[in-house]
Coordinates of all heavy atoms in Angstrom, one line a residue:
M1 N 0.9 -1.3 -14.6 CA 0.1 -0.1 -14.7 C -1.3 -0.4 -15.0 O -1.6 -1.4 -15.6 CB 0.7 0.9 -15.7 CG 2.0 1.5 -15.2 SD 2.3 3.1 -16.0 CE 2.8 2.7 -17.6
A2 N -2.2 0.5 -14.6 CA -3.6 0.2 -14.8 C -4.3 1.6 -15.1 O -3.9 2.6 -14.6 CB -4.2 -0.4 -13.6
K3 N -5.3 1.5 -15.9 CA -6.1 2.7 -16.2 C -7.0 3.0 -15.0 O -7.7 2.1 -14.5 CB -6.9 2.5 -17.5 CG -6.0 2.5 -18.7 CD -6.7 3.5 -19.7 CE -5.7 3.8 -20.8 NZ -6.2 4.8 -21.7
Q4 N -6.9 4.2 -14.6 CA -7.8 4.7 -13.5 C -8.2 6.1 -13.8 O -7.6 6.9 -14.5 CB -7.1 4.7 -12.2 CG -7.0 3.3 -11.6 CD -7.0 3.3 -10.1 OE1 -7.3 4.3 -9.5 NE2 -6.8 2.2 -9.5
Y5 N -9.3 6.5 -13.2 CA -9.8 7.9 -13.4 C -9.0 8.8 -12.5 O -8.7 8.6 -11.4 CB -11.3 7.9 -12.9 CG -11.9 9.3 -13.2 CD1 -12.3 9.7 -14.4 CD2 -12.0 10.2 -12.1 CE1 -12.8 11.0 -14.6 CE2 -12.6 11.5 -12.3 CZ -12.9 11.9 -13.6 OH -13.5 13.1 -13.8
C6 N -8.5 9.8 -13.2 CA -7.7 10.9 -12.5 C -8.6 12.1 -12.4 O -9.1 12.6 -13.3 CB -6.4 11.2 -13.2 SG -5.5 12.6 -12.5
E7 N -8.7 12.6 -11.1 CA -9.6 13.8 -10.9 C -9.0 15.0 -11.5 O -9.6 15.9 -11.9 CB -9.8 14.0 -9.4 CG -10.9 13.0 -8.9 CD -10.8 12.8 -7.4 OE1 -10.2 13.7 -6.7 OE2 -11.3 11.8 -6.9
K8 N -7.6 15.1 -11.5 CA -6.9 16.3 -12.0 C -7.1 16.3 -13.5 O -7.3 17.4 -14.1 CB -5.5 16.2 -11.6 CG -5.1 17.3 -10.5 CD -3.6 17.3 -10.3 CE -3.3 18.4 -9.3 NZ -1.9 18.4 -9.0
C9 N -6.8 15.2 -14.1 CA -6.9 15.1 -15.6 C -8.4 15.1 -16.1 O -8.7 15.5 -17.2 CB -6.2 13.9 -16.1 SG -4.4 13.9 -15.8
G10 N -9.2 14.6 -15.2 CA -10.6 14.5 -15.6 C -10.9 13.4 -16.5 O -11.9 13.5 -17.3
K11 N -10.0 12.5 -16.6 CA -10.3 11.3 -17.5 C -9.4 10.1 -17.0 O -8.6 10.3 -16.1 CB -9.8 11.7 -18.9 CG -8.4 12.1 -19.0 CD -8.0 12.4 -20.4 CE -6.5 12.8 -20.5 NZ -6.0 13.1 -21.9
E12 N -9.6 9.0 -17.7 CA -8.9 7.8 -17.3 C -7.5 7.9 -17.9 O -7.3 8.2 -19.1 CB -9.6 6.6 -17.9 CG -10.9 6.3 -17.2 CD -11.1 4.8 -17.1 OE1 -10.6 4.0 -17.9 OE2 -11.8 4.4 -16.1
T13 N -6.5 7.7 -17.0 CA -5.1 7.8 -17.4 C -4.4 6.5 -16.9 O -4.9 5.8 -16.0 CB -4.4 9.0 -16.9 OG1 -4.6 9.1 -15.5 CG2 -5.1 10.3 -17.5
E14 N -3.2 6.4 -17.4 CA -2.3 5.3 -16.8 C -1.9 5.6 -15.4 O -1.5 6.8 -15.2 CB -1.1 5.1 -17.7 CG -1.4 4.5 -19.1 CD -1.8 3.1 -19.0 OE1 -1.4 2.4 -18.1 OE2 -2.5 2.6 -20.0
H15 N -2.0 4.7 -14.5 CA -1.6 4.9 -13.1 C -0.6 3.9 -12.7 O -0.7 2.7 -13.1 CB -2.8 4.9 -12.2 CG -3.6 6.2 -12.1 ND1 -4.4 6.6 -13.2 CD2 -3.7 7.1 -11.2 CE1 -4.9 7.7 -12.9 NE2 -4.6 8.1 -11.7
K16 N 0.3 4.3 -11.9 CA 1.3 3.4 -11.4 C 1.1 3.2 -9.9 O 0.9 4.2 -9.2 CB 2.7 4.0 -11.7 CG 3.8 2.9 -11.6 CD 5.1 3.5 -12.2 CE 6.0 4.1 -11.2 NZ 7.3 4.5 -11.8
E17 N 1.1 2.0 -9.5 CA 0.9 1.7 -8.1 C 2.2 2.0 -7.3 O 3.3 1.7 -7.8 CB 0.5 0.3 -7.9 CG 0.0 0.1 -6.4 CD -0.5 -1.4 -6.2 OE1 -0.3 -2.2 -7.1 OE2 -1.0 -1.6 -5.2
W18 N 2.1 2.6 -6.1 CA 3.2 3.0 -5.3 C 2.9 2.7 -3.9 O 1.9 3.1 -3.4 CB 3.5 4.4 -5.5 CG 4.8 4.8 -4.9 CD1 6.1 4.4 -5.3 CD2 5.0 5.8 -3.9 NE1 7.0 5.0 -4.5 CE2 6.4 5.9 -3.6 CE3 4.2 6.6 -3.1 CZ2 7.0 6.7 -2.6 CZ3 4.7 7.4 -2.1 CH2 6.1 7.5 -1.9
I19 N 3.7 1.9 -3.3 CA 3.5 1.4 -1.9 C 4.5 2.0 -1.0 O 5.7 1.9 -1.2 CB 3.5 -0.1 -1.8 CG1 2.2 -0.6 -2.6 CG2 3.5 -0.6 -0.4 CD1 2.2 -2.1 -2.7
Q20 N 4.0 2.6 0.1 CA 4.9 3.2 1.1 C 4.6 2.6 2.4 O 3.4 2.5 2.8 CB 4.6 4.7 1.1 CG 5.7 5.4 2.0 CD 5.4 6.9 2.0 OE1 4.3 7.4 2.1 NE2 6.5 7.7 1.8
Q21 N 5.6 2.2 3.1 CA 5.4 1.6 4.4 C 5.0 2.6 5.4 O 5.6 3.7 5.5 CB 6.7 0.9 4.8 CG 6.5 -0.1 5.9 CD 7.6 -1.2 6.0 OE1 8.7 -1.0 5.4 NE2 7.3 -2.3 6.6
K22 N 4.0 2.3 6.2 CA 3.5 3.2 7.2 C 4.6 3.2 8.3 O 5.2 2.2 8.6 CB 2.2 2.7 7.8 CG 1.0 3.0 6.9 CD -0.3 2.5 7.6 CE -1.4 2.8 6.7 NZ -2.7 2.2 7.2
P23 N 4.6 4.3 9.0 CA 5.4 4.4 10.2 C 5.0 3.2 11.2 O 3.8 3.1 11.4 CB 5.1 5.7 10.8 CG 4.6 6.6 9.7 CD 3.9 5.6 8.8
S24 N 5.9 2.5 11.6 CA 5.6 1.3 12.4 C 5.0 1.6 13.7 O 5.4 2.6 14.4 CB 6.9 0.5 12.6 OG 6.6 -0.7 13.3
Q25 N 4.1 0.8 14.1 CA 3.5 1.0 15.4 C 4.4 0.3 16.5 O 4.2 0.5 17.7 CB 2.1 0.3 15.5 CG 2.2 -1.1 15.1 CD 0.8 -1.8 15.0 OE1 0.0 -1.5 15.9 NE2 0.5 -2.6 14.0
Y26 N 5.4 -0.4 16.0 CA 6.3 -1.0 16.9 C 7.5 -0.1 17.1 O 7.7 0.9 16.4 CB 6.8 -2.3 16.3 CG 5.6 -3.3 16.1 CD1 5.0 -3.4 14.9 CD2 5.2 -4.2 17.1 CE1 3.9 -4.2 14.7 CE2 4.2 -5.1 16.9 CZ 3.5 -5.1 15.7 OH 2.5 -5.9 15.5
G27 N 8.3 -0.5 18.1 CA 9.5 0.3 18.5 C 10.6 0.2 17.5 O 10.5 -0.5 16.5
K28 N 11.7 0.8 17.8 CA 12.8 0.8 16.8 C 13.8 -0.2 17.1 O 14.7 -0.5 16.3 CB 13.5 2.2 16.9 CG 12.6 3.3 16.2 CD 12.8 3.3 14.7 CE 11.9 4.4 14.1 NZ 11.3 4.0 12.9
S29 N 13.7 -0.9 18.2 CA 14.7 -1.8 18.6 C 14.7 -3.1 17.7 O 13.6 -3.3 17.1 CB 14.6 -2.3 20.1 OG 13.5 -3.1 20.2
R30 N 15.7 -3.8 17.6 CA 15.8 -5.0 16.7 C 14.7 -6.0 17.1 O 14.0 -6.6 16.3 CB 17.1 -5.7 16.9 CG 18.2 -5.1 15.9 CD 19.4 -6.0 15.9 NE 19.3 -7.1 15.0 CZ 19.7 -7.0 13.7 NH1 20.2 -5.9 13.2 NH2 19.7 -8.0 12.9
K31 N 14.5 -6.1 18.4 CA 13.5 -7.1 18.9 C 12.1 -6.7 18.5 O 11.3 -7.5 18.0 CB 13.6 -7.1 20.4 CG 12.9 -8.4 21.1 CD 13.2 -8.3 22.6 CE 12.1 -9.2 23.3 NZ 12.1 -8.9 24.7
E32 N 11.8 -5.4 18.6 CA 10.5 -4.9 18.2 C 10.3 -5.1 16.7 O 9.2 -5.4 16.2 CB 10.3 -3.5 18.7 CG 10.1 -3.3 20.1 CD 8.8 -3.9 20.6 OE1 7.8 -3.3 20.2 OE2 8.7 -4.8 21.4
Q33 N 11.4 -4.8 16.0 CA 11.3 -4.9 14.5 C 11.0 -6.3 14.1 O 10.2 -6.6 13.2 CB 12.6 -4.4 13.9 CG 12.9 -3.0 14.0 CD 12.1 -2.1 13.1 OE1 12.0 -2.4 11.9 NE2 11.5 -1.0 13.6
L34 N 11.6 -7.2 14.8 CA 11.4 -8.7 14.5 C 10.0 -9.0 14.8 O 9.3 -9.7 14.0 CB 12.4 -9.5 15.3 CG 12.3 -11.0 15.1 CD1 12.8 -11.4 13.6 CD2 13.2 -11.8 16.1
K35 N 9.5 -8.5 15.9 CA 8.1 -8.8 16.3 C 7.1 -8.3 15.2 O 6.2 -8.9 14.9 CB 7.8 -8.1 17.7 CG 6.5 -8.5 18.3 CD 6.4 -7.8 19.7 CE 5.1 -8.2 20.4 NZ 3.9 -7.7 19.7
A36 N 7.4 -7.1 14.8 CA 6.6 -6.5 13.8 C 6.6 -7.3 12.5 O 5.5 -7.6 11.9 CB 7.1 -5.1 13.4
F37 N 7.8 -7.8 12.2 CA 7.9 -8.6 11.0 C 7.1 -9.9 11.1 O 6.4 -10.3 10.2 CB 9.4 -8.9 10.7 CG 9.6 -10.0 9.6 CD1 9.5 -9.6 8.3 CD2 9.9 -11.3 9.9 CE1 9.7 -10.5 7.3 CE2 10.1 -12.2 8.9 CZ 10.0 -11.8 7.6
L38 N 7.3 -10.6 12.3 CA 6.6 -11.9 12.5 C 5.1 -11.7 12.6 O 4.3 -12.5 12.0 CB 7.1 -12.5 13.8 CG 8.6 -13.0 13.7 CD1 9.0 -13.5 15.1 CD2 8.7 -14.1 12.7
D39 N 4.6 -10.6 13.2 CA 3.2 -10.3 13.3 C 2.6 -10.2 11.9 O 1.6 -10.7 11.5 CB 3.0 -9.1 14.1 CG 2.9 -9.3 15.6 OD1 3.1 -10.5 16.0 OD2 2.7 -8.4 16.3
G40 N 3.3 -9.4 11.1 CA 2.9 -9.2 9.7 C 2.9 -10.5 8.9 O 2.0 -10.8 8.1
F41 N 4.0 -11.3 9.2 CA 4.1 -12.5 8.4 C 3.0 -13.5 8.7 O 2.4 -14.0 7.8 CB 5.5 -13.1 8.8 CG 5.8 -14.4 8.1 CD1 6.3 -14.3 6.8 CD2 5.7 -15.6 8.7 CE1 6.6 -15.5 6.1 CE2 6.1 -16.8 8.0 CZ 6.5 -16.7 6.7
F42 N 2.7 -13.7 10.0 CA 1.7 -14.7 10.4 C 0.3 -14.2 10.2 O -0.5 -15.0 9.7 CB 1.9 -15.1 11.9 CG 3.1 -16.0 12.1 CD1 4.2 -15.6 12.8 CD2 3.2 -17.2 11.5 CE1 5.3 -16.4 13.0 CE2 4.3 -18.1 11.6 CZ 5.4 -17.6 12.4
S43 N 0.1 -13.0 10.4 CA -1.3 -12.5 10.1 C -1.5 -12.5 8.6 O -2.6 -12.6 8.2 CB -1.5 -11.1 10.7 OG -0.5 -10.2 10.2
G44 N -0.4 -12.3 7.9 CA -0.5 -12.4 6.4 C -1.0 -13.8 6.0 O -1.8 -13.9 5.1
W45 N -0.4 -14.8 6.6 CA -0.8 -16.1 6.2 C -2.2 -16.5 6.7 O -2.9 -17.0 5.9 CB 0.2 -17.1 6.9 CG 1.4 -17.3 6.1 CD1 2.6 -16.6 6.1 CD2 1.7 -18.4 5.1 NE1 3.5 -17.1 5.3 CE2 3.0 -18.2 4.6 CE3 0.9 -19.4 4.7 CZ2 3.5 -19.0 3.7 CZ3 1.4 -20.3 3.7 CH2 2.7 -20.1 3.2
G46 N -2.4 -16.1 7.9 CA -3.7 -16.5 8.5 C -4.9 -15.7 7.9 O -6.0 -16.2 7.8
G47 N -4.7 -14.4 7.6 CA -5.8 -13.6 7.1 C -5.7 -13.3 5.7 O -6.1 -12.3 5.2
H48 N -5.1 -14.2 4.9 CA -5.0 -14.1 3.5 C -4.3 -12.8 3.1 O -4.7 -12.2 2.1 CB -6.3 -14.3 2.8 CG -7.0 -15.6 3.1 ND1 -6.6 -16.7 2.5 CD2 -8.0 -15.9 4.0 CE1 -7.4 -17.7 3.0 NE2 -8.2 -17.2 3.9
G49 N -3.4 -12.3 3.9 CA -2.7 -11.1 3.5 C -3.4 -9.8 3.8 O -2.9 -8.8 3.6
L50 N -4.6 -9.9 4.4 CA -5.3 -8.7 4.6 C -4.7 -7.8 5.7 O -4.6 -6.6 5.6 CB -6.8 -9.1 5.1 CG -7.7 -9.5 3.9 CD1 -9.0 -10.0 4.5 CD2 -7.9 -8.4 2.9
A51 N -4.2 -8.5 6.8 CA -3.6 -7.8 7.9 C -2.3 -7.0 7.4 O -2.1 -5.9 7.9 CB -3.3 -8.7 9.0
S52 N -1.6 -7.7 6.6 CA -0.3 -7.1 6.1 C -0.5 -5.8 5.3 O 0.3 -4.9 5.2 CB 0.5 -8.1 5.3 OG -0.2 -8.5 4.2
I53 N -1.7 -5.7 4.7 CA -2.0 -4.5 3.9 C -2.1 -3.3 4.8 O -1.8 -2.2 4.4 CB -3.4 -4.7 3.2 CG1 -3.2 -5.7 2.1 CG2 -4.0 -3.4 2.7 CD1 -4.5 -6.1 1.4
D54 N -2.5 -3.5 6.1 CA -2.5 -2.4 7.1 C -1.2 -1.7 7.3 O -1.1 -0.6 7.8 CB -3.1 -2.9 8.4 CG -4.5 -3.3 8.3 OD1 -5.2 -2.8 7.3 OD2 -5.0 -4.1 9.1
L55 N -0.1 -2.4 7.0 CA 1.2 -1.9 7.2 C 1.7 -1.0 6.2 O 2.7 -0.3 6.3 CB 2.2 -3.1 7.4 CG 1.9 -4.1 8.5 CD1 2.9 -5.3 8.4 CD2 2.1 -3.4 9.9
V56 N 1.0 -0.9 5.1 CA 1.5 0.0 4.0 C 0.3 0.9 3.5 O -0.8 0.6 3.7 CB 2.0 -0.9 2.8 CG1 3.2 -1.6 3.1 CG2 0.9 -1.8 2.3
D57 N 0.8 2.0 3.0 CA -0.1 2.9 2.3 C 0.0 2.7 0.8 O 1.1 2.6 0.3 CB 0.2 4.4 2.6 CG -0.4 4.8 3.9 OD1 -1.4 4.3 4.3 OD2 0.2 5.7 4.6
R58 N -1.1 2.5 0.2 CA -1.1 2.2 -1.3 C -1.5 3.5 -2.0 O -2.6 4.0 -1.7 CB -2.0 1.1 -1.6 CG -1.5 -0.3 -1.1 CD -2.7 -1.2 -0.8 NE -3.6 -1.4 -1.9 CZ -3.5 -2.4 -2.8 NH1 -2.5 -3.3 -2.6 NH2 -4.3 -2.5 -3.8
Y59 N -0.7 3.9 -2.9 CA -1.0 5.1 -3.7 C -1.1 4.7 -5.2 O -0.5 3.6 -5.6 CB 0.1 6.1 -3.6 CG 0.3 6.7 -2.2 CD1 1.2 6.2 -1.3 CD2 -0.5 7.9 -1.9 CE1 1.3 6.8 -0.1 CE2 -0.3 8.4 -0.6 CZ 0.6 7.9 0.3 OH 0.8 8.4 1.5
V60 N -1.8 5.4 -5.9 CA -1.7 5.3 -7.4 C -1.2 6.7 -7.9 O -1.7 7.7 -7.4 CB -3.0 4.9 -8.1 CG1 -3.2 3.4 -7.8 CG2 -4.1 5.7 -7.6
I61 N -0.3 6.7 -8.8 CA 0.2 7.9 -9.3 C -0.1 8.1 -10.8 O 0.2 7.2 -11.6 CB 1.8 8.0 -9.2 CG1 2.2 7.9 -7.7 CG2 2.3 9.3 -9.8 CD1 3.6 7.7 -7.5
C62 N -0.8 9.2 -11.1 CA -1.2 9.4 -12.5 C 0.1 9.6 -13.3 O 0.9 10.4 -13.0 CB -2.1 10.6 -12.5 SG -2.5 11.1 -14.2
Q63 N 0.2 8.9 -14.4 CA 1.4 9.0 -15.3 C 1.3 10.2 -16.2 O 2.3 10.6 -16.8 CB 1.5 7.7 -16.1 CG 1.8 6.5 -15.2 CD 3.1 6.6 -14.4 OE1 4.2 6.5 -14.9 NE2 2.9 6.9 -13.1
A64 N 0.1 10.8 -16.2 CA 0.0 12.0 -17.1 C 0.3 13.3 -16.4 O 1.0 14.2 -16.9 CB -1.4 12.1 -17.7
C65 N -0.1 13.4 -15.1 CA 0.1 14.7 -14.4 C 0.8 14.5 -13.1 O 1.2 15.4 -12.4 CB -1.3 15.4 -14.1 SG -2.3 14.5 -12.8
G66 N 1.1 13.2 -12.7 CA 1.8 13.0 -11.5 C 1.0 13.1 -10.2 O 1.6 13.1 -9.1
N67 N -0.3 13.2 -10.3 CA -1.1 13.3 -9.1 C -1.1 12.0 -8.3 O -1.3 10.9 -8.9 CB -2.6 13.6 -9.6 CG -3.5 13.9 -8.4 OD1 -3.1 14.5 -7.4 ND2 -4.7 13.4 -8.5
K68 N -0.9 12.2 -7.1 CA -0.8 11.0 -6.2 C -2.0 10.8 -5.4 O -2.5 11.8 -4.7 CB 0.5 11.1 -5.3 CG 0.8 9.8 -4.6 CD 2.2 9.9 -4.0 CE 2.1 10.6 -2.6 NZ 3.4 10.6 -1.9
K69 N -2.6 9.6 -5.4 CA -3.9 9.4 -4.8 C -3.7 8.2 -3.8 O -3.3 7.2 -4.2 CB -5.0 9.1 -5.8 CG -6.4 9.2 -5.3 CD -7.4 9.2 -6.4 CE -7.5 7.9 -7.1 NZ -8.6 7.9 -8.1
L70 N -4.2 8.5 -2.6 CA -4.1 7.4 -1.6 C -5.2 6.4 -1.9 O -6.4 6.8 -2.2 CB -4.3 8.0 -0.2 CG -4.2 7.0 1.0 CD1 -2.8 6.4 1.1 CD2 -4.5 7.7 2.3
Q71 N -4.8 5.1 -1.8 CA -5.8 4.1 -2.2 C -5.7 2.9 -1.2 O -5.2 1.9 -1.5 CB -5.6 3.6 -3.6 CG -6.8 2.9 -4.1 CD -6.7 2.7 -5.6 OE1 -6.0 1.9 -6.2 NE2 -7.5 3.5 -6.3
N72 N -6.2 3.2 0.0 CA -6.2 2.1 1.0 C -7.6 1.5 1.2 O -8.2 1.6 2.2 CB -5.7 2.7 2.3 CG -4.2 2.8 2.4 OD1 -3.5 2.1 1.6 ND2 -3.7 3.5 3.4
H73 N -8.0 0.9 0.1 CA -9.3 0.2 0.2 C -9.2 -1.2 0.7 O -10.2 -1.8 1.0 CB -10.0 0.3 -1.1 CG -10.3 1.7 -1.6 ND1 -10.4 2.0 -2.9 CD2 -10.4 2.8 -0.9 CE1 -10.6 3.3 -3.0 NE2 -10.6 3.8 -1.9
G74 N -8.1 -1.7 0.7 CA -7.9 -3.1 1.1 C -8.3 -4.1 0.0 O -8.3 -5.3 0.2
E75 N -8.7 -3.6 -1.1 CA -9.0 -4.5 -2.2 C -7.9 -4.7 -3.2 O -7.0 -3.8 -3.2 CB -10.3 -4.0 -3.0 CG -10.1 -2.6 -3.5 CD -11.4 -2.0 -4.0 OE1 -12.3 -1.8 -3.2 OE2 -11.5 -1.8 -5.2
Q76 N -7.9 -5.7 -4.0 CA -6.8 -6.0 -4.9 C -6.8 -4.9 -6.0 O -7.8 -4.4 -6.5 CB -7.0 -7.4 -5.5 CG -6.7 -8.5 -4.6 CD -5.2 -8.5 -4.2 OE1 -4.3 -8.4 -5.0 NE2 -4.9 -8.5 -2.9
F77 N -5.6 -4.5 -6.3 CA -5.3 -3.6 -7.4 C -5.5 -4.3 -8.7 O -4.9 -5.3 -8.9 CB -3.9 -3.0 -7.2 CG -3.7 -1.8 -8.2 CD1 -4.1 -0.6 -7.8 CD2 -3.1 -2.0 -9.4 CE1 -3.9 0.5 -8.7 CE2 -2.8 -1.0 -10.2 CZ -3.2 0.3 -9.9
K78 N -6.4 -3.8 -9.6 CA -6.6 -4.5 -10.8 C -6.0 -3.7 -12.0 O -6.1 -2.5 -12.0 CB -8.1 -4.7 -11.0 CG -8.5 -5.9 -10.2 CD -10.1 -5.9 -10.2 CE -10.5 -6.9 -9.1 NZ -11.8 -6.6 -8.6
Ligands
ZN101 ZN1 -3.8 13.0 -13.9

């Protein structure tokens, strides 16, 4: 958990990171799923994990009020 500013609370509160996988741009078949996995795997290695971040939505959830905030900045969560 990390302290972050919550707009609802109007102050810094404890936030929990929550990651949700985005709906895949790939098809539903096993072959397509494997392709998606491999693409994410290799682009993750080659691009220092930056590409794989595109596959998920990163949220932070305020532990005081439960406010969920999308946080897709591509920067490391501190
Ligand atoms: Zn809050």
Side-chain angles (χ1 to χ4, degrees):
M1 287 208 285
K3 284 231 169 187
Q4 281 214 10
Y5 182 79
C6 173
E7 283 161 19
K8 253 188 177 176
C9 295
K11 61 177 181 180
E12 290 214 334
T13 56
E14 292 287 335
H15 280 69
K16 199 163 96 179
E17 191 176 8
W18 190 61
I19 290 174
Q20 187 177 47
Q21 198 156 18
K22 280 181 184 175
S24 181
Q25 58 184 316
Y26 299 92
K28 287 277 178 222
S29 74
R30 271 188 90 89
K31 197 177 156 193
E32 287 289 297
Q33 293 284 316
L34 181 67
K35 189 175 180 296
F37 171 76
L38 289 176
D39 276 359
F41 184 76
F42 286 116
S43 57
W45 274 88
H48 302 285
L50 284 176
S52 58
I53 288 172
D54 293 339
L55 298 173
V56 294
D57 277 330
R58 289 149 58 93
Y59 296 92
V60 284
I61 300 170
C62 174
Q63 297 299 286
C65 70
N67 187 39
K68 193 166 82 172
K69 192 167 72 174
L70 185 62
Q71 195 165 76
N72 274 347
H73 299 153
E75 58 190 63
Q76 284 297 308
F77 190 83
K78 280 169 192 151

